[in-house]
Amino acid sequence: MNMKRNARIALLLLLAAGLWLALKPTLGDRRFTFLPFRWSEFIDIMDFWLNFGSFAILGTTVWLAFGSFEKAFRHLLLMTGFITLLNITLELLQSAIPGRAMDMADVWAGLFGCVFGIAGGMVLQLLNIHRKSAGTEPQVLFLDQTGRLGGAELMLLDIAAARAADSEVILFQDGEFRTALENVGVKTTILKLGEEASTVDKQAGLKRVLRSIPGILQLMLQTVQAARSFDVVYANTAKALVIGGPAARLAGRPLIFHLHDIIADGHFSVLNQQALVLCANYCAQSVIANSEATKDAFIACGGRAELCVVIPNGFRIPIERSSPEETKSLRTSLGIPSDAWTVLMAGRLAHWKGQHILLEALKAVPTAHAVLLGDALFTDEDRKYAQQLHTQAEELAGRIHFAGFQSTTMPYFDMADVVVHASVYPEPFGRVIVEGMLAAKPVIASRAGGAAEIISHEHTGLLVNPGNVKELTDALLRLQNDSEFAASIAREAQQTAQDIYALSAVQEKIESVIHQIASQQEPQESLTIISSQKSPPCPA
Ligand code: UDP
């Protein structure tokens, strides 16, 4: 990458110097160049070889600055044509200067020099590629907007931990995510977003977005600076893309966008949907979608299909689960009777996650208890929703237990009889569903988005329509009353989850994207493809 940037600077200087030499102003019989008069005379005599030499250097530099092996032949023709045309134009201009004539030998010299130079540029680039492939791991700069630990951050924690020696993480907010990263040896830097910019959420309108611009620009410049020391920039969240995308381009580094969101109404305002897709289309060399649903929504919104690769989240498969004593003591600490049939709902408290749907459904499952694991993580709206849930829970007479956010979640899955996921909007992936399956628990999930891809209805879990209280109640009663069926889908779910979502396999896939993108020499190639690509309209 550095070679390409340096070559571009050298190209500009060469062109400026070449133009000056070619069009040396003449005053009387004296020509004014930046070279001493005598040298200038000498250069005129050496015209043929100088043309050959200077166009050979120009050819090499042009190749290094813009060349690509994938499209070598097209580039070769274009460059030879362009440089020869430039040479002829210069000769014609020269012939207009009094006392100077058009010299065809110079044109031929330029053409030969150019072909020779391009071949030289190809060899240099080839040597550079060999050096790279023989070299070390790609250095990756990960960007994430939050310091809290949501699903996207937990996935990044595992990816970055596995390549801690060759990575650094920049967070736009401090929090427990930084501590978690540092605990696994990942170098982490906090570059804070200004006050205005940090309050812009997924639903923000134009006014709030405009007010956030100065803060975003400042952060972007800091990110450009940081990105220059890495081979690849990896944006893990929406705001990280909006800042990291242009920053990566300015720094001349390729960008991977890990798409953990469904870009559609309900999750993002129309303005934010368009900004995200624009940034991804123009700045990213690869988009890792965590499910077919996130990929489809991205494409439906105008995202380029050819950028996308679907890689699900990966999970460590624990060798040991909680012992019966640990489970019993956890139940006691939460105030749950040891024989109570217990539902676990894990995940941040947010309206779209649908905790209120579960509480409503539990009214018709009178003996069941429920644990809500998680807290309101991101917005004031979420915090208000959490308060409403506490009020709603009062109607269920001590059957709802708020466990708050816990960094170790396995014991909670182990003590549950059933795991519920009740998002009212399509879930981009749904880590908690896989975690329930890995714990060999029957899972009920909303039939939408990534959840519907993870669960096969009545084989590895039960699917209910999002927001449908009656269907959720029926599914809960079915599992409560038919423990054999519950155990059989739980067994099948555990096997499926172990086969598909093992962390090592997922990490391998992500590493292969990183290596592929790091070895690409030409991130700006994508621009030509975008302009010829027709985008379907965003869904209403
Ligand atoms: N989680 C956690 N502590 C909690 C509650 C949830 O670590 O108290 C984890 C949960 O185990 C899961 C993640 O947070 O791995 C939530 O991911 P999911 O994909 O379900 O939702 P997201 O937060 O990405 O919308």
Side-chain angles (χ1 to χ4, degrees):
M1 289 299 156
N2 268 335
M3 185 165 88
K4 187 173 282 191
R5 201 190 53 222
N6 295 342
R8 283 182 183 158
I9 295 168
L11 178 65
L12 273 180
L13 294 175
L14 258 176
L15 282 174
L19 266 177
W20 179 260
L21 267 176
L23 304 175
K24 295 174 288 240
T26 310
L27 193 65
D29 56 356
R30 278 182 72 106
R31 295 201 181 121
F32 293 94
T33 76
F34 50 80
L35 295 170
F37 180 65
R38 278 160 143 259
W39 278 70
S40 167
E41 290 271 284
F42 180 66
I43 279 168
D44 273 351
I45 300 163
M46 295 287 292
D47 239 6
F48 180 91
W49 289 110
L50 270 167
N51 253 312
F52 181 87
S54 56
F55 278 89
I57 295 171
L58 192 60
T60 314
T61 320
V62 170
W63 180 272
L64 291 180
F66 299 107
S68 122
F69 273 95
E70 295 90 70
K71 301 184 175 83
F73 189 64
R74 202 189 65 187
H75 270 129
L76 199 76
L77 287 181
L78 274 178
M79 275 191 253
T80 318
F82 170 73
I83 294 177
T84 308
L85 203 69
L86 182 77
N87 193 13
I88 294 172
T89 313
L90 286 178
E91 286 296 330
L92 283 172
L93 283 172
Q94 276 181 350
S95 65
I97 298 173
R100 305 190 65 178
M102 169 103 177
D103 186 349
M104 270 319 282
D106 281 359
V107 175
W108 283 113
L111 182 66
F112 292 142
C114 166
V115 172
F116 183 79
I118 288 167
M122 283 173 95
V123 171
L124 281 180
Q125 215 183 57
L126 206 62
L127 286 176
N128 188 49
I129 287 169
H130 277 305
R131 231 187 8 254
K132 262 195 151 186
S133 58
T136 49
E137 278 291 304
Q139 302 296 300
V140 179
L141 177 64
F142 293 100
L143 305 175
D144 195 292
Q145 71 201 47
T146 178
R148 311 302 305 269
L149 272 167
E153 289 67 37
L154 287 166
M155 182 71 250
L156 177 56
L157 183 62
D158 283 331
I159 302 168
R163 49 166 23 263
D166 303 296
S167 306
E168 193 175 320
V169 176
I170 286 183
L171 302 180
F172 302 156
Q173 193 191 58
D174 204 351
E176 68 268 12
F177 186 27
R178 177 179 58 85
T179 318
L181 284 162
E182 287 175 349
N183 285 345
V184 291
V186 179
K187 187 174 176 213
T188 308
T189 309
I190 309 292
L191 292 181
K192 280 204 173 141
L193 259 177
E195 182 68 18
E196 291 286 357
S198 58
T199 56
V200 172
D201 56 21
K202 292 174 181 176
Q203 297 294 336
L206 186 61
K207 219 166 142 193
R208 277 174 75 192
V209 171
L210 286 178
R211 279 211 307 261
S212 69
I213 285 175
I216 290 178
L217 282 181
Q218 191 196 2
L219 184 57
M220 200 181 285
L221 290 177
Q222 290 172 310
T223 311
V224 173
Q225 197 70 22
R228 291 206 170 112
S229 318
F230 293 85
D231 298 310
V232 175
V233 179
Y234 190 115
N236 195 52
T237 55
K239 269 185 206 166
L241 170 71
V242 171
I243 287 155
R249 278 198 81 92
L250 287 171
R253 298 296 182 272
L255 177 94
I256 296 170
F257 173 40
H258 201 148
L259 177 59
H260 295 278
D261 294 299
I262 290 194
I263 304 180
D265 293 355
H267 288 282
F268 292 93
S269 70
V270 174
L271 186 74
N272 280 353
Q273 290 175 35
Q274 285 165 353
L276 281 179
V277 169
L278 193 79
C279 272
N281 277 350
Y282 279 87
C283 303
Q285 276 63 55
S286 178
V287 174
I288 299 177
N290 61 0
S291 65
E292 292 292 337
T294 54
K295 181 186 126 182
D296 291 348
F298 174 72
I299 295 169
C301 216
R304 291 165 52 201
E306 69 274 20
L307 291 179
C308 296
V309 48
V310 176
I311 303 179
N313 277 206
F315 299 80
R316 278 171 219 285
I317 297 168
I319 302 163
E320 269 183 51
R321 309 277 333 180
S322 319
S323 66
E325 293 73 39
E326 285 167 335
T327 294
K328 197 170 165 216
S329 87
L330 179 59
R331 277 181 171 244
T332 311
S333 71
L334 287 166
I336 304 171
S338 57
D339 59 344
W341 194 75
T342 304
V343 179
L344 174 73
M345 188 159 172
R348 61 200 148 94
L349 306 182
H351 184 271
W352 78 272
K353 289 285 184 183
Q355 281 90 354
H356 61 289
I357 304 288
L358 173 66
L359 297 198
E360 202 52 41
L362 283 173
K363 285 184 185 166
V365 193
T367 54
H369 281 242
V371 175
L372 298 188
L373 176 65
D375 209 346
L377 286 191
F378 298 127
T379 63
D380 285 342
E381 214 179 300
D382 295 346
R383 284 179 271 279
K384 249 184 241 154
Y385 175 70
Q387 279 166 7
Q388 283 166 19
L389 284 176
H390 277 91
T391 313
Q392 196 183 350
E394 282 167 15
E395 289 176 49
L396 288 147
R399 291 197 284 132
I400 308 302
H401 310 270
F402 289 86
F405 179 86
Q406 303 293 333
S407 52
T408 308
T409 58
M410 191 178 78
Y412 290 84
F413 284 92
D414 288 339
M415 66 90 213
D417 292 290
V418 57
V419 171
V420 166
H421 161 272
S423 293
V424 294
Y425 292 133
E427 182 75 50
F429 180 76
R431 288 176 62 88
V432 289
I433 299 167
V434 180
E435 287 162 348
M437 292 163 80
L438 286 171
K441 302 294 167 179
V443 180
I444 304 171
S446 292
R447 186 183 280 111
E453 293 166 37
I454 297 171
I455 285 189
S456 160
H457 185 55
E458 301 206 325
H459 296 287
T460 56
L462 291 178
L463 291 171
V464 295
N465 283 315
N468 191 320
V469 175
K470 170 84 175 58
E471 281 188 33
L472 181 55
T473 306
D474 291 347
L476 285 166
L477 289 170
R478 184 177 175 189
L479 292 177
Q480 192 184 36
N481 296 327
D482 190 347
S483 54
E484 221 167 272
F485 171 66
S488 89
I489 59 171
R491 265 195 310 276
E492 197 169 335
Q494 189 184 37
Q495 191 55 57
T496 307
Q498 286 175 351
D499 291 346
I500 301 179
Y501 302 106
L503 183 60
S504 52
V506 168
Q507 269 166 345
E508 227 171 82
K509 288 182 191 159
I510 290 178
E511 276 304 315
S512 101
V513 176
I514 291 175
H515 278 82
Q516 189 198 334
I517 295 303
S519 65
Q520 276 178 11
Q521 292 286 306
E522 217 164 299
Q524 67 276 24
E525 278 281 293
S526 52
L527 280 177
T528 47
I529 307 168
I530 303 158
S531 51
S532 62
Q533 180 89 5
K534 270 197 188 147
S535 301
C538 275

